[in-house]
Amino acid sequence: MSGCGGRAPACGDSTTQDLTEKGLAEGLPGSTPVGEIMTSDPVALSHDALCADVLHEMLERNIGHVPITRDNELVGIVTQTDLTRHRVVSSGSLIREIASAGNQSALARTVAQIPDLLVQLVAAGTRHDITTRLITDIGDAATRRLLSLAEEKLGTPPVPYLWLACGSQGRREQTGVSDQDNCLILDDAVRPEDMEYFHALAKFVSDGLDACGYYYCPGEMMATNPRWCQPLSVWRDYFAGWIRKPDPMAQMLASVMFDLRPIGGETCLHGELIAETLDRASGNSIFVAHMIANSVKHVPPLSLFRSFATIRSGEHKNSVDLKLNGVVPVVDLARIYAIQGKLQVVNTRGRLLAAAETDVLSPSGARDLLDAYDLIAMTRLRHQLGCIQAGGRPDNFMIPSTLSDLERSHLRDAFVVVKTMQSALAQGKAMIL
């Protein structure tokens, strides 16, 4: 079990609230078995979750403690008192506001504070992966609150469903500027007449996210697109078809959908799907080769002589795109390693670490690529910090001359590492073909 929103191993826990509300309030005798009043199947987090993850779960679910597991075994419990001692960052206050927001306008006012949070975190030297994790937590909470508001408006869902995010939200890598990429997986019991409900739910949530600043995906990779609001069986056919016939469109769609992460609903609709898909994908050398060829199309901004290759014209002339040509090449590499190793981790940094642990990636290669990724991602966040402090909106276009000579040298070295890893992966693909 990893990440947020999991369940503790088949067990339960009993709190003073259980004793008060289920025991004393109902006048149960002292001989009552604890199993009759305990909370069954409590929400649990993995041992590698952040303190902020625990706080966010507590605030969003209005609970006072969270079980912690390792390999699906209980290893401890974290309480609000534990967190108070460690002074968890103020993203928790935003989560609290989101959890109690009564409408889209209230949500939008809270989410609008993300740039302020980004400034606080980056200025304090917080690691880029923690910064983006905390910012993504806010997007996740806003999505779940919108799902709750949608159900209040539309009524009980006719069948179980699962709302998932892909893209930067799916990978827990949102920064100060993000569009929305999402989809719906529906239980196979769904009937044609039920689809009106889910189309309305998708519109309500996507419109709400747009109002919060998560603008509509230009490519319509959203649950509002009927193609991405389908029963589980259709999703199985989608993945099977993309793997069986990896044409350019299939490669693009597979790249996006391999980053899916459950946000709200029945998570069981996703677990088996991704496990069987990774198994099928990793065993298809032709599919993997095509995915590799597609992944190396995004190249670091280096010229023939390894100086910066900047944008030559237009609004962003003389700048480099730290997203498309900086972060994305590493994201693409990590996704390929995840497919090759059948790794269910979605976060880019997590994928690189898991790839090293499972020998998909050599230890030295993993160290170099992680260092390069950390530098590029942190440079991107510092650039966005500068945009906000200058009174503008955060973007991804940085002019290299704004860096010191030493910073430019290190950034060039990081891009060289990424380019070298791309070449090594492409050569492996050539041997497969």
Side-chain angles (χ1 to χ4, degrees):
M1 183 184 301
S2 62
C4 295
R7 296 286 174 181
C11 65
D13 65 4
S14 182
T15 66
T16 54
Q17 185 175 358
D18 292 324
L19 292 171
T20 301
E21 295 182 358
K22 300 177 185 178
L24 297 178
E26 298 179 11
L28 298 177
S31 59
T32 303
V34 70
E36 294 185 14
I37 64 167
M38 72 179 185
T39 299
S40 300
D41 195 24
V43 171
L45 296 180
S46 172
H47 70 283
D48 57 0
L50 304 177
C51 287
D53 294 331
V54 179
L55 178 63
H56 295 170
E57 287 288 341
M58 288 179 177
L59 293 174
E60 190 173 350
R61 299 176 183 273
N62 192 28
I63 55 179
H65 69 286
V66 175
I68 304 300
T69 64
R70 182 196 291 267
D71 298 328
N72 211 36
E73 294 292 331
L74 182 67
V75 294
I77 292 177
V78 176
T79 67
Q80 289 183 346
T81 303
D82 295 327
L83 295 178
T84 300
R85 291 197 205 101
H86 286 82
R87 298 182 181 178
V88 179
V89 296
S90 63
S91 58
S93 63
L94 301 187
I95 298 289
R96 187 193 299 274
E97 292 178 20
I98 287 171
S100 60
N103 52 51
Q104 293 180 358
S105 297
L107 276 174
R109 286 193 297 271
T110 299
V111 175
Q113 299 176 60
I114 284 180
D116 294 333
L117 176 63
L118 186 145
V119 168
Q120 171 194 324
L121 293 171
V122 178
T126 307
R127 281 173 25 194
H128 73 90
D129 52 318
I130 294 178
T131 296
T132 56
R133 175 79 163 264
L134 297 177
I135 290 175
T136 304
D137 282 352
I138 295 169
D140 290 355
T143 303
R144 285 190 288 268
R145 184 60 186 146
L146 285 166
L147 287 168
S148 295
L149 291 172
E151 290 188 21
E152 289 176 13
K153 177 182 178 181
L154 301 172
T156 304
V159 298
Y161 71 87
L162 178 62
W163 184 282
L164 305 98
C166 45
S168 59
Q169 184 182 6
R171 297 189 304 273
R172 282 186 162 144
E173 294 165 4
Q174 286 187 311
T175 64
V177 52
S178 295
D179 62 353
Q180 53 175 293
D181 300 284
N182 46 59
C183 65
L184 273 169
I185 298 179
L186 312 177
D187 189 277
D188 281 332
V190 67
R191 302 166 299 175
E193 57 266 34
D194 296 330
M195 296 306 297
E196 182 178 353
Y197 176 97
F198 291 108
H199 292 325
L201 180 139
K203 180 172 174 29
F204 183 96
V205 176
S206 287
D207 286 351
L209 289 172
D210 182 69
C212 289
Y214 303 102
Y215 54 89
Y216 299 118
C217 174
E220 295 191 353
M221 298 290 292
M222 300 182 297
T224 50
N225 184 339
R227 186 178 186 185
W228 310 125
C229 177
Q230 293 290 339
L232 177 59
S233 58
V234 173
W235 280 99
R236 281 195 166 100
D237 290 342
Y238 281 165
F239 277 102
W242 296 332
I243 294 169
R244 184 172 59 251
K245 187 180 179 182
D247 57 32
M249 179 58 72
Q251 295 166 33
M252 185 275 290
L253 293 174
S255 294
V256 173
M257 295 305 177
F258 270 109
D259 293 350
L260 285 175
R261 180 172 62 86
I263 303 297
E266 299 295 326
T267 56
C268 61
L269 293 172
H270 174 255
E272 291 185 8
L273 171 65
I274 194 62
E276 66 186 39
T277 298
L278 284 169
D279 188 59
R280 183 183 292 116
S282 64
N284 189 321
S285 59
I286 295 176
F287 171 76
V288 173
H290 280 282
M291 287 291 289
I292 291 173
N294 185 63
S295 72
V296 297
K297 291 178 181 177
H298 296 118
V299 296
L302 293 172
S303 68
L304 182 62
F305 298 103
R306 293 188 172 180
S307 61
F308 288 110
T310 59
I311 298 171
R312 296 186 176 181
S313 61
E315 178 185 1
H316 304 296
K317 183 179 179 180
N318 296 326
S319 69
V320 294
D321 188 338
L322 290 173
K323 177 182 178 182
L324 188 63
N325 301 113
V327 171
V328 168
V330 186
V331 170
D332 290 342
L333 284 170
R335 186 184 300 112
I336 297 299
Y337 300 144
I339 292 173
Q340 292 176 325
K342 296 188 283 188
L343 309 173
Q344 293 195 30
V345 185
V346 178
N347 174 263
T348 297
R349 205 174 194 285
R351 281 172 165 170
L352 295 178
L353 289 170
E357 291 173 358
T358 54
D359 296 328
V360 174
L361 185 60
S362 71
S364 61
R367 285 194 298 271
D368 288 346
L369 193 51
L370 278 166
D371 286 346
Y373 177 59
D374 288 344
L375 179 61
I376 295 167
M378 202 67 226
T379 301
R380 180 191 182 200
L381 287 181
R382 291 194 185 107
H383 167 72
Q384 293 190 2
L385 167 65
C387 292
I388 297 169
Q389 290 178 328
R393 291 175 57 85
D395 63 34
N396 297 298
F397 299 96
M398 185 199 70
I399 297 176
S401 61
T402 61
L403 301 176
S404 69
D405 289 344
L406 183 62
E407 288 171 328
R408 286 199 302 273
S409 176
H410 286 326
L411 188 58
R412 272 195 300 267
D413 289 344
F415 287 146
V416 169
V417 169
V418 176
K419 193 173 183 66
T420 300
M421 297 300 289
Q422 285 184 323
S423 298
L425 191 65
Q427 290 172 6
K429 178 267 300 184
M431 287 188 288
I432 292 174
L433 292 175

